[in-house]
Amino acid sequence: MTTAAPQATPTGSSSPPRRSFLLIYLAVFGGYTGQQILTPVLPPLARELSLSEFQFGIVMSASAAMVALVSPWWGRRSDTHGRKPLLVVSLFGAAAGLFAFAVSAHLGLIGTIGALATFALLLVTRGLVFGGALAALPVAAQSYVADVTPDEQTRVKGMARVGAAIGLALVLGPGLGGLLADFGLVAALYLAPALILLPAFAVWVGLSKDARSDGPRTKAPRLSLRDERVWPFLLAGVGVYLSVSMLQMSVGFLLQDRLGLTTRETAEWSGYVLLAGGLPMMLVQGVVIPFLKWRPLRLLRVGVPLTGVAFVVMVFADSLPVFFAATVLSGMGHSLAIPGYNSVLSLRVGADEQGGVAGLISATNGFTLVLGPLAATALYQTGVSLPFVCGAVVLGLLAAFLVLSPKVRDIPAPQPAPEDSGTADRQRPDVPAHRQPPPRGEGDRPA
């Protein structure tokens, strides 16, 4: 038996103008810049607020928990209500959450509220409000790209450019946060929500509605985590994003403790080190991947072990040059693996499941971002190298799984969907031929 080649995802309409793509990328860039600008600020902020590493991990994990919980729901809303409404709600909601977070942290820093009240407010504003709103952003953006990219290479290129927008945020966000640390921690706290508001207004005013926004409301199919088309790659996503979160949560503490840095120096150098990791993500995803034209699974199989090597280097890092080298190598690995992960899942489902699979991707990522900060901070309190030792082991096992597992195989590249065929409208991507619906008989054809 052979496997039927998957059909290209139909768009249902002509491709949107270039401005629409730019607004999608701007939305992703703005949302993640607002998040990432706080990355070098948060570890020293936690210590200034007298929060333990574990309490800090709880605050960060609460945001990821909301992403894991609500992303599948956002995915189904995206398939029924359209992509633009979700983008607008996500950006304005995330800005409101970060502004409330900034006010809460500011009140804690000046002593207006106590440490316990500050911890509770940070948990609510960062976790429930910001996390729940931001969860809709990647779901809507990835679904939009899937709607308008009918073949494998354009899908990979589109997903990679969404990743490049995130990579640019990873470059500018931590670097800007580190520079703002010279003016105190509060400056970055209030700039973050302002940066999200700019693309929020741009998308609200400038992005045209998609077909789903004005079309009839239909119930979106519910994808299962046990679906054979998706679960092996969702497992890969767990390993990839676990390494991302463990690196981001641990590197600031490791820099401060191994190099004996002050609070301000830690915020500054953490920003520069994370910026060094973001630079290759922007370059590789925006330029190299479209040039290479590798298939999604190959991107995963190369990116995961490369990241594992970076974690091994981080275990022994004892100087700034080694820290920089490790994060650059990690950025290269992540920049290959993440577009491969997103694309391979999108290509394995049909047009009416794109929001659903994007929701599962975001929920899986959110789950790892719950586990990652908690695991990283708990391991760090046991031994400063343990987060990176464990991360290297997980990535090594994942690399072996991607090569050896019979569930992880390339599928035939998608072909353009035929205008009128007996079975094309009934076939599903990546389903073996013996499980496809039978051809319509003459008496079954519509009049």
Side-chain angles (χ1 to χ4, degrees):
M1 285 292 180
T2 60
T3 301
Q7 301 295 331
T9 301
T11 66
S13 61
S14 60
S15 296
R18 182 182 297 270
R19 185 184 70 173
S20 297
F21 280 108
L22 292 177
L23 287 170
I24 293 296
Y25 301 146
L26 177 64
V28 173
F29 170 71
Y32 282 96
T33 299
Q35 181 190 51
Q36 291 298 320
I37 197 174
L38 298 180
T39 299
V41 173
L42 292 177
L45 175 67
R47 288 180 171 173
E48 289 293 318
L49 292 171
S50 300
L51 300 180
S52 69
E53 288 89 347
F54 191 66
Q55 284 178 307
F56 171 65
I58 291 174
V59 170
M60 302 306 295
S61 294
S63 176
M66 283 301 296
V67 173
L69 290 173
V70 303
S71 288
W73 184 83
W74 281 129
R76 293 191 294 275
R77 299 291 79 72
S78 175
D79 282 333
T80 56
H81 291 79
R83 317 310 186 194
K84 178 180 177 177
L86 258 71
L87 286 168
V88 172
V89 168
S90 174
L91 291 168
F92 280 107
L98 276 192
F99 179 75
F101 177 83
V103 172
S104 302
H106 194 183
L107 292 175
L109 286 171
I110 63 179
T112 303
I113 56 177
L116 184 59
T118 302
F119 172 67
L121 285 173
L122 297 184
L123 194 60
V124 171
T125 55
R126 175 84 182 189
L128 298 181
V129 182
F130 176 74
L134 193 71
L137 180 58
V139 172
Q142 291 173 15
S143 300
Y144 183 94
V145 169
D147 284 345
V148 296
T149 51
D151 60 79
E152 183 176 274
Q153 285 305 317
T154 55
R155 183 76 52 85
V156 173
K157 183 186 296 185
M159 293 294 183
R161 285 178 176 167
V162 170
I166 298 175
L168 184 60
L170 292 173
V171 170
L172 297 180
L176 184 57
L179 290 173
L180 288 171
D182 287 336
F183 302 96
L185 301 178
V186 174
L189 292 175
Y190 285 109
L191 182 62
L195 288 177
I196 298 178
L197 281 177
L198 296 176
F201 280 107
V203 169
W204 185 26
V205 174
L207 186 65
S208 58
K209 290 184 178 180
D210 53 272
R212 288 178 175 82
S213 299
D214 294 324
R217 301 286 186 258
T218 57
K219 187 175 182 180
R222 185 186 294 266
L223 277 175
S224 170
L225 288 170
R226 296 191 297 266
D227 192 313
E228 290 185 356
R229 296 173 297 166
V230 301
W231 77 257
F233 302 99
L234 291 175
L235 182 63
V238 170
V240 170
Y241 276 91
L242 187 65
S243 67
V244 172
S245 63
M246 291 182 73
L247 174 67
Q248 289 188 339
M249 287 301 101
S250 303
V251 71
F253 294 125
L254 192 65
L255 275 166
Q256 186 169 27
D257 293 337
R258 283 197 174 165
L259 304 184
L261 303 178
T262 65
T263 297
R264 177 168 293 186
E265 289 171 339
T266 300
E268 184 177 352
W269 283 109
S270 294
Y272 295 149
V273 167
L274 292 171
L275 183 148
L279 281 170
M281 294 187 73
M282 180 179 62
L283 178 64
V284 172
Q285 293 181 345
V287 179
V288 176
I289 288 178
F291 174 77
L292 290 175
K293 296 183 179 180
W294 285 358
R295 302 202 67 189
L297 188 53
R298 185 177 183 183
L299 293 172
L300 267 172
R301 286 173 170 168
V302 174
V304 168
L306 194 61
T307 308
V309 173
F311 270 61
V312 172
V313 174
M314 192 66 79
V315 171
F316 302 101
D318 57 359
S319 65
L320 281 173
V322 180
F323 275 104
F324 277 105
T327 52
V328 167
L329 194 60
S330 174
M332 293 173 63
H334 287 140
S335 65
L336 292 171
I338 291 173
Y341 161 60
N342 291 333
S343 300
V344 78
L345 280 162
S346 177
L347 288 162
R348 278 168 162 75
V349 302
D352 60 346
E353 297 171 306
Q354 290 300 325
V357 79
L360 285 182
I361 290 171
S362 189
T364 302
N365 301 348
F367 166 75
T368 63
L369 295 175
V370 173
L371 178 62
L374 291 174
T377 50
L379 288 168
Y380 194 89
Q381 288 182 323
T382 303
V384 297
S385 298
L386 279 181
F388 299 100
V389 171
C390 293
V393 171
V394 169
L395 290 165
L397 293 173
L398 176 58
F401 172 76
L402 290 171
V403 173
L404 301 176
S405 173
K407 298 289 185 182
V408 181
R409 292 291 180 266
D410 269 321
I411 59 172
Q415 303 298 320
E419 296 257 334
D420 182 20
S421 67
T423 62
D425 61 331
R426 307 177 70 187
Q427 291 181 338
R428 299 180 70 186
D430 199 29
V431 175
H434 69 280
R435 293 180 59 190
Q436 295 283 0
R440 285 185 173 130
E442 289 296 318
D444 294 330
R445 292 185 180 275

